[in-house]
Amino acid sequence: MTFETNLTDQIERQLSKLESTATNLETLSVLVMRTNRTQEAKILSDLAVDLRIKQFTLYRNKTQLQINTKEWKALVSALELVNHFIDEAIADPKVIIKEVQDSAARLISVATKLVSSFS
């Protein structure tokens, strides 16, 4: 039972990180909007919404998730990468945020593949 509890805790921790990442994308969107980069801000906001939808779906199906699959490992890796770029962009919102957009889109793509396994 402890092993299963540990796995569930790891899954919930990563799903919580997904939610935090969506919040950080929204924050970055506001910062970018303040620099009059409306189109980039809208893209970030849309990515945040998409990520929240995927996070919600994954959370609802968390009992079906397995952390030892390549899909799960890809999700965790993509999540780490997008958070790295978000941290850099929040520190200096004047930088080009293309890396954030690209890595967030990749994260959503990986999450979509994982979600599709529930169907």
Side-chain angles (χ1 to χ4, degrees), residues 33-48:
M33 180 70 78
R34 289 182 181 170
T35 63
N36 295 322
R37 293 158 60 187
T38 308
Q39 185 61 28
E40 291 174 316
K42 181 177 179 346
I43 292 169
L44 289 169
S45 179
D46 289 348
L47 288 168

Side-chain angles (χ1 to χ4, degrees), residues 57-74:
T57 304
L58 289 170
Y59 188 82
R60 290 200 46 162
N61 294 288
K62 68 181 178 183
T63 58
Q64 298 176 29
L65 294 171
Q66 296 178 11
I67 64 172
N68 58 352
T69 64
K70 68 179 182 178
E71 292 83 5
W72 180 258
K73 292 174 183 176

Side-chain angles (χ1 to χ4, degrees), residues 67-114:
I67 64 172
N68 58 352
T69 64
K70 68 179 182 178
E71 292 83 5
W72 180 258
K73 292 174 183 176
L75 179 78
V76 172
S77 177
L79 181 58
E80 289 175 11
L81 184 62
V82 73
N83 282 316
H84 166 74
F85 286 127
I86 288 171
D87 288 345
E88 286 184 0
I90 287 178
D92 185 5
K94 294 180 182 176
V95 300
I96 298 175
I97 56 160
K98 183 77 171 135
E99 292 87 0
V100 174
Q101 293 171 339
D102 291 347
S103 61
R106 171 78 176 126
L107 174 60
I108 291 168
S109 174
V110 171
T112 300
K113 288 178 187 175
L114 197 54

Side-chain angles (χ1 to χ4, degrees), residues 22-34:
T23 299
N24 291 340
L25 284 170
E26 290 170 347
T27 301
L28 184 58
S29 174
V30 170
L31 292 173
V32 170
M33 180 70 78
R34 289 182 181 170

